[in-house]
Structure formats: structure tokens, C-alpha cells
Amino acid sequence: MNIESSFVRSAVTAADLPRDGLAEIALVGRSNVGKSSLINALVRQRVARTSSTPGKTRLANVYRVQRGAGAPFYLFDLPGYGYARAPRDKRGAQSASAARLESQAEFEAIVRVVFERRPAGLLLVDARHPGLDSDRAAWQWIRTAAPDAAVVATKIDKLARGERIRALREFESVFEMPVVPVSATDGEGLDQLWTLIDRLKKSG
């Protein structure tokens, strides 16, 4: 099936976001969970920049996507939470607490702007780390801010069969709903994720 996708812009304020009424889905997750890699795997081309360094995405990156004859929609790649590069003072010392506060403020500001538009929410979690407090907190917030939301476990290819079964059981216990396991590396679960996206498009 043909997929058309393009990078629209990096949004800093509400004025930077699209205003043409298309469905919107916001991707939320910890830094380095693989949001950009998953976008590229979904659309089968490199539209999102990827990096092995966590905390690279500091703005809301907007992508326009259309799959086959389906209606086009926007994917919002939001900054990752849970990571901050500590700034240095005049002596070269780093303040981790100051970095966390600055990073959290930046994250919360753009996330509030995006979710005021009531997009559907897609929480990405690392399959290797089920039950993290930061993921639990993000899920509780998304469920109140979005009209519909779902959870996707990335990097499932990193786990052996027994490990993935245990991890998915723990995820489903934590989030109290089925979790879609995917891999941007080998494409596992992408068809199931597209089915999920089609559902979210109708509510976002």
C-alpha cells in the first residue's frame, strides 16, 4: 500500500501547528524510546531525524501522513521526557537539578500546546523496561488529556520470546489494556499499529 509522508515543520507555539482540520495523533514517550525511528518505519522512508543521543527532540515535529486511499492525518512527535543534559556553570560544573527543571518546563510547555487541540494520544514505551514510574505518570496524564489513547511497546526485537511475554503481561497489568508490540528494525507489529492508528484517527 502506498504511503505518502512529509515533514511539515517544528512547532514552538500554537501558531506553528496546522489549522486545516485533519485528524491528529500525538506521540509521547521517554527520550530515546524510538519515536523518530518508528515514524520512519511506519511511512517506509526517512522523514524523521534519528539520534542515539537522548533528548534531541526539543520541539513538536509535525508530519503529514496518508496511507493508501485513507484520509491524511498529522503525527506530532513530541519531546521525550525523563532526560536532561545538565548546563554548566562558569567553572564547568553541572547542575542536574537545574537541567531537569529546564527540560521538564520545555516538555510541559509544548505538550500543553499540542494537547489543547485534543489529538489522540499514542504512548510509546520501551519493551525492555516495563512499569517505569515516568511511563505510568505519562499514561495517567494522556488518558485525561486525549479523547482516545493507546500504548505501543517499542524495540520488541531486543527481547527473547520468554522475556517479551513477561514484559507484555506486565505492561498490560500496568496500563490495564492491550499493548501493541512493535519493532522499527524488523517491522514486527507495524500492520497492527496501522490498524490502531486508523482507530485513533477517528477520535483525534
Side-chain angles (χ1 to χ4, degrees), residues 70-115:
F73 65 100
Y74 290 112
L75 277 178
F76 296 151
D77 180 10
L78 299 182
Y81 53 82
Y83 175 85
R85 186 184 300 279
R88 295 178 180 273
D89 62 21
K90 294 181 180 178
R91 297 168 299 176
Q94 291 184 320
S95 169
S97 60
R100 284 193 296 270
L101 289 172
E102 180 181 4
S103 177
Q104 186 67 15
E106 291 175 356
F107 170 77
E108 291 179 352
I110 191 61
V111 168
R112 280 197 302 269
V113 165
V114 168
F115 274 94

Side-chain angles (χ1 to χ4, degrees), residues 38 127 152-157 180-184 186-190 193:
L38 185 59
V152 172
T154 64
K155 306 181 183 181
I156 194 66
D157 58 290
V180 177
V182 300
S183 168
D186 62 20
E188 179 180 350
L190 293 184
L193 179 54

Side-chain angles (χ1 to χ4, degrees), residues 39-101:
I39 291 172
N40 290 338
L42 272 172
V43 302
R44 303 175 191 163
Q45 60 179 296
R46 188 179 175 85
V47 294
R49 292 189 204 173
T50 60
S51 172
S52 59
T53 303
K56 276 292 188 181
T57 303
R58 304 309 311 151
L59 308 171
N61 290 325
V62 182
Y63 303 91
R64 188 182 189 276
V65 181
Q66 183 173 14
R67 183 173 182 250
F73 65 100
Y74 290 112
L75 277 178
F76 296 151
D77 180 10
L78 299 182
Y81 53 82
Y83 175 85
R85 186 184 300 279
R88 295 178 180 273
D89 62 21
K90 294 181 180 178
R91 297 168 299 176
Q94 291 184 320
S95 169
S97 60
R100 284 193 296 270
L101 289 172

